[in-house]
């Protein structure tokens, strides 16, 4: 898939066989975000109930490193 400048994309992380959200915590760990919002064009969107409900946090980010390979 080719990426297009100005188009919005999502990075989806899921652990289908994981134990899920238990006792108000993720038993296998958590991807901690950056509260200084280094990428103002994005937002954290998460679900604690396997996608039935979603919460958006627009003043934080989850850091990752993209790599671009030219054709």
């Amino acid at each position: 898939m080719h990426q297009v400048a100005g188009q919005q994309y999502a990075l989806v992380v899921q652990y289908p066989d994981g134990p899920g959200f238990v006792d108000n915590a993720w038993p296998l760990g958590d991807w901690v975000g950056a509260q200084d919002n280094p990428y103002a064009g994005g937002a954290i969107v998460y679900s604690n109930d396997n996608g039935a409900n979603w919460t958006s946090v627009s003043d934080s980010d989850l850091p990752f490193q993209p790599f671009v390979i030219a054709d």
Side-chain angles (χ1 to χ4, degrees):
M1 177 172 118
H2 289 87
Q3 285 73 44
V4 178
Q7 179 66 43
Q8 187 175 26
Y9 297 93
L11 177 67
V12 178
V13 178
Q14 182 181 21
Y15 184 3
D17 297 326
F21 199 68
V22 179
D23 296 327
N24 205 31
W26 292 102
L28 296 180
D30 198 358
W31 186 359
V32 179
Q35 291 184 343
D36 57 352
N37 198 21
Y39 179 63
I44 297 171
V45 180
Y46 67 93
S47 172
N48 289 335
D49 54 13
N50 220 13
N53 296 287
W54 293 90
T55 301
S56 177
V57 182
S58 60
D59 63 349
S60 298
D61 286 313
L62 294 173
F64 68 95
Q65 177 64 49
F67 294 91
V68 177
I69 299 172
D71 290 333

